Amino acid sequence: MNFVTRRKPVEAAAPANSGRHLKRTLSWYHLVALGVGAIIGTGIYTLTGVAAGLAGPAVIVSFAVAGAVCACAALCYAEMASLSPQAGSAYAYSYMTLGELIAWVVGWSLILEYTLVCSAVSVGWAGYAAGLIHQAHWPIPDALLASSGAGGVINLPAIFIALVVTGVLLVGTRESATINFILVIIKLLALAAFVAFTLPSFDAAHFHPFAPFGFGAHEIDGRKYGVMGAAAIIFFAFYGFDAISTAAEEAKNPSRDLAIGIVGSMLICTLIYMVVAACALGASPFDVFSKSPEPLAFVLRQLNRPVAASLIAGAAVIAMPTVIMVFMFGQSRVFFAMARDGLLPRGLSAVSRRGVPTAVTLLTGLIAAVIAGITPLDQIASLANAGTLAAFIATSIAVMVLRRRMPALARPFKTPLIWVVGPAGVAGCIYLFTSLSAKTMIFFAVWNLVGVVVYLAYSRPRSALATA
């Protein structure tokens, strides 16, 4: 039973095995852009409407709650990422502190998280793309613009964008990061324009009643309503910062740049989310725009600004793929780390001359495309959140365990007030998990039961620690 507790050593860097390490090509501004690119995406362009339908105007509080929980986790991620800059994120941190079995469960959960996020954002992008297709009167049947669960047959735009992003990532890490940086600028300019267009039409009456579904999460027809029910869904919108930690092995100065990227992107994005949500609610009643798959563009059309709506939708279509890009990047790095440790087939950790783990990038893209083509957005987002919450809990515990076990270890970044921030992060994540729908929790449990079977049958005897 030593596989339960066997741990990797706490290393300052990943082992430089030939063909099994990644190139250091990213600066701090690349990492901040990765975080903003991941966080500002479907959550603000699409899930703003979904969450408003669950919480009403109090969705602003939902954003604040989800942001506060993520901030606690982000500080813990910053300490672990700067301490041991390796690919793998929460999986790697758990392996060093909590043991191989827990690390496997966390890694298996991250596989669920990242793949579903890629799919969810592809569906969100497809909603805006379908709006532009209708506006341009292209002869594409509606059945090919949405999945069967959303009134169509198959979502071809979602499949298309997932595969395009996969192709971009195969070009190279630095090249992908540069494209992401440019698209993030476009995305932020579009949101600034949305605020400018909606502020003159701000109506405070739209905020009454402020919390029509109450504060706590309660389930109606399989969906959790209330401020916390919405927070559990839009939590999905915030956790792009953990994708930064998967790039730790590719940061030029990880001890400094990772903390800047993780904490900086969280602060910037929380403020942007709350401002944009407030402007949308002030310009249109929540029960009107929440029904649209492209809520920000819908609000502008309601204000009789069709040109501005088209520009916002166009910016979403251009820039939302940054989210897919960052999470697909993160997924491939988690796959890579697990394969390098022997828990997945070692062939998946092969790196191309451009420094890209080609096989896992292709695998991630194909799976994400299939899920995006057949599954509605709200179901994907809810399922993705469960895996993320598990990773956040593991990272918060890992920091506290390492503080006790190795208090003298040099830490380039230290989480402030760790015995407040760490427990708060764990408690907040557990509460948000209980706010998810029963179907989501059952699916997550089944997913991890399957994962444990895979681990015991395949990964346990092939682990690098077992064969050393």
Side-chain angles (χ1 to χ4, degrees), residues 72 76 396-397 400 415 417-427:
C72 294
C76 294
S396 299
I397 293 174
M400 293 185 286
T415 303
L417 302 172
I418 182 57
W419 302 111
V420 175
V421 171
V426 173

Side-chain angles (χ1 to χ4, degrees), residues 209-227:
F210 184 67
F213 305 107
F215 181 82
H218 52 278
E219 191 161 338
I220 302 175
D221 296 330
R223 304 179 73 192
K224 286 289 184 80
Y225 286 80
V227 172

Side-chain angles (χ1 to χ4, degrees), residues 126-153:
Y128 278 87
L132 291 178
I133 289 171
H134 287 143
Q135 192 169 340
H137 304 292
W138 290 0
I140 299 178
D142 289 344
L144 302 180
L145 300 177
S147 66
S148 58
V153 175

Side-chain angles (χ1 to χ4, degrees), residues 31-32 35-36 39 74 78 241 244 257-270:
L31 296 174
V32 172
V36 174
I39 299 171
F241 69 83
I244 298 174
D257 296 348
L258 289 167
I260 294 174
I262 292 171
V263 178
S265 61
M266 265 300 300
L267 293 175
I268 292 169
C269 295
T270 301

Side-chain angles (χ1 to χ4, degrees), residues 452-465:
V452 170
V453 172
V454 172
Y455 171 77
L456 294 175
Y458 177 86
S459 304
R460 179 183 60 83
R462 292 172 175 80
S463 162
L465 293 185

Side-chain angles (χ1 to χ4, degrees), residues 90-413:
Y91 157 76
Y93 313 147
S94 301
Y95 213 160
M96 292 184 294
T97 56
L98 306 177
E100 186 175 282
L101 179 59
I102 293 179
W104 166 267
V105 171
V106 172
W108 192 252
S109 298
L110 285 173
I111 290 172
L112 175 71
E113 169 201 342
Y114 284 131
T115 303
L116 291 182
V117 169
C118 293
S119 301
V121 180
S122 297
V123 175
W125 179 89
Y128 278 87
L132 291 178
I133 289 171
H134 287 143
Q135 192 169 340
H137 304 292
W138 290 0
I140 299 178
D142 289 344
L144 302 180
L145 300 177
S147 66
S148 58
V153 175
I154 188 169
N155 195 330
L156 288 184
I159 294 174
F160 167 79
I161 193 60
L163 296 179
V164 168
V165 170
T166 303
V168 172
L169 286 173
L170 291 174
V171 173
T173 298
R174 185 176 179 85
E175 293 82 358
S176 301
T178 301
I179 294 172
N180 175 73
F181 187 84
I182 295 170
L183 295 180
V184 163
I185 298 299
I186 295 174
K187 187 159 33 179
L188 294 180
L189 289 174
L191 293 175
F194 176 81
V195 171
F197 284 127
T198 52
L199 273 180
S201 303
F202 191 91
D203 185 354
H206 293 164
F207 289 81
H208 301 287
F210 184 67
F213 305 107
F215 181 82
H218 52 278
E219 191 161 338
I220 302 175
D221 296 330
R223 304 179 73 192
K224 286 289 184 80
Y225 286 80
V227 172
M228 295 308 297
I233 290 292
I234 59 178
F235 181 76
F236 162 91
F238 278 99
Y239 54 66
F241 69 83
D242 79 336
I244 298 174
S245 66
T246 67
E249 200 169 315
E250 293 154 279
K252 290 181 178 178
N253 185 358
S255 61
R256 179 199 66 181
D257 296 348
L258 289 167
I260 294 174
I262 292 171
V263 178
S265 61
M266 265 300 300
L267 293 175
I268 292 169
C269 295
T270 301
L271 177 62
I272 292 173
Y273 268 128
M274 296 183 71
V275 169
V276 171
C279 288
L281 288 162
S284 175
F286 79 91
D287 55 348
V288 176
F289 76 84
S290 65
K291 297 180 175 64
S292 173
E294 40 168 2
L296 301 191
F298 177 85
V299 168
L300 290 174
R301 291 193 188 100
Q302 290 290 102
L303 297 178
N304 198 27
R305 293 183 177 272
V307 176
S310 297
L311 290 175
I312 292 293
V317 167
I318 293 171
M320 276 174 64
T322 60
V323 186
I324 310 171
M325 186 182 298
V326 175
F327 278 97
M328 201 172 286
F329 172 94
Q331 165 68 304
S332 64
R333 271 55 182 179
V334 172
F335 259 131
F336 167 83
M338 296 177 74
R340 185 170 60 186
D341 292 334
L343 300 182
L344 292 175
R346 291 184 183 272
L348 295 177
S349 63
V351 177
S352 71
R353 286 180 295 177
R354 290 181 172 271
V356 177
T358 305
V360 293
T361 301
L362 281 171
L363 180 63
T364 299
L366 291 172
I367 295 173
V370 170
I371 296 173
I374 61 176
T375 312
L377 175 63
D378 56 347
Q379 292 183 22
I380 303 174
S382 181
L383 294 173
N385 284 352
T388 306
L389 289 165
F392 282 10
I393 291 170
T395 301
S396 299
I397 293 174
V399 172
M400 293 185 286
V401 167
L402 208 56
R403 286 286 187 96
R404 287 291 190 189
R405 186 180 294 152
M406 304 176 72
L409 191 66
R411 292 169 169 83
F413 176 86

